[in-house]
Structure formats: structure tokens, C-alpha cells
Amino acid sequence: MTGSTAHRIAIMGFGNPVRSDDAVGTYVIQQLQRMLSDRKDVSLFDMGTSAFEVLFQLKGHQQIILVDAVVNTGDPIGTLYRVPAEKVRKAPQDDPMVFLHSIKWDQALSYAKKLMQDEYPEDIQVYLIAIDNTRLEVGMSEVVQQAGDRVVEYILEEATWTASP
């Protein structure tokens, strides 16, 4: 496939690299960059903590995969959750004074849907990884890193790839 009819995938990882296990989303992106660097149908985004940028990266992609950490789930550290975006997307707020530097990616998705309308990609999956440690330190726990590696495997198995890179 070529041009605008090509199936394009955007994979976005969120996290703060100096907040221990919170970095798992960016870790997943780093692993995928090594494996998928030659694919023209895949866009990999290390989103850091800039959730609002989601709005600007969605356009032109038919499949979106988000990876982030989640705290206080009550489940063991490293537990994986795979959920459709509509299950975690917050309702858009019609607040013209929304503070764009403090919104979360789930809120950004709601604004994206509202602003993009028909161009909003319908195939959005979210991988969340249960964490506990968000202390100010570089490096993740082994169990969370292993969970990130499992997410990489799932993405490689489940993404809707085009026939060739």
C-alpha cells in the first residue's frame, strides 16, 4: 500500500524516565525502535509526560497503541491491562480555559475525538502496566521491565502490519 491508503500505526509510550517504574512506556518505545526502525508504516513516539501531544500525532494513522504505567490498581506490580481506548477515555470538557500542560493522555484522546471528528482513528488500544514505585530515580524494577518486554511481544504479535516494511 502507498500514499494515504496505507495502514499506518502510531505507537506512543508515556512516562517519566527519572521516576523509576513510571518510565515503562518510554522503555517499550526504546525496545521497539531497535526492532522496527526500518518500517515505514510505523511511527514510534516517546511521549515522555507530554500527553497533549497525542492530539497532534494521531492524524494520518489508522491504528494507535498507547503504553503507560498505572498506580494504585490493587493488583500485583507488573500486571498488564489491555483495554480499548473508549474504556479509559474521559468525557471531553467544554472548558475554554483548559490547562493544556496538565491534562492526561486519556483526556487528550477525548479532545482529539472532538476536534478530529471523522479523522479520529477508531482502532486505539491501551496497554497499562501496574506500578508502585514512582520515586525520583533512574532505572526500573525487574518485574516492571519484564512487563514492558511482554507488552513489546504483544504489540509485535497483535499490531495490524502491512505486508512489508
Side-chain angles (χ1 to χ4, degrees):
M1 286 192 245
T2 60
S4 62
T5 59
H7 181 87
R8 299 203 60 224
I9 303 169
I11 305 172
M12 303 172 180
F14 294 87
N16 187 333
V18 295
R19 300 292 277 188
S20 190
D21 289 343
D22 186 57
V24 70
T26 60
Y27 169 78
V28 167
I29 295 301
Q30 291 166 358
Q31 301 309 304
L32 291 171
Q33 285 171 334
R34 289 186 304 109
M35 300 172 188
L36 301 174
S37 63
D38 59 340
R39 293 200 69 106
K40 294 179 177 29
D41 57 338
V42 178
S43 303
L44 299 167
F45 299 101
D46 178 346
M47 303 299 289
T49 58
S50 58
F52 195 71
E53 295 297 318
V54 169
L55 278 173
F56 305 108
Q57 305 300 342
L58 297 178
K59 193 167 186 174
H61 295 89
Q62 290 72 44
Q63 184 178 16
I64 308 295
I65 300 171
L66 305 174
V67 182
D68 200 2
V70 60
V71 294
N72 301 324
T73 64
D75 289 323
I77 305 306
T79 299
L80 296 181
Y81 309 92
R82 182 175 181 263
V83 292
E86 64 267 10
K87 297 285 186 191
V88 293
R89 187 178 48 231
K90 292 187 176 179
Q93 300 172 2
D94 287 327
D95 180 0
M97 300 302 289
V98 65
F99 186 57
L100 301 179
H101 297 289
S102 65
I103 68 171
K104 305 277 186 202
W105 58 260
D106 52 345
Q107 294 169 307
L109 285 177
S110 71
Y111 285 105
K113 184 168 182 135
K114 184 174 183 175
L115 294 172
M116 295 174 71
Q117 298 181 6
D118 291 342
E119 293 184 68
Y120 181 79
E122 292 299 322
D123 187 357
I124 302 178
Q125 292 294 319
V126 180
Y127 288 94
L128 299 173
I129 301 166
I131 67 166
D132 184 34
N133 182 4
T134 59
R135 288 188 296 269
L136 186 62
E137 61 187 27
V138 176
M140 299 183 304
S141 65
E142 186 174 326
V143 67
V144 170
Q145 184 171 332
Q146 290 172 349
D149 291 336
R150 286 197 316 270
V151 169
V152 168
E153 292 172 14
Y154 292 146
I155 289 171
L156 293 174
E157 290 174 9
E158 297 176 3
T160 306
W161 306 108
T162 55
S164 61

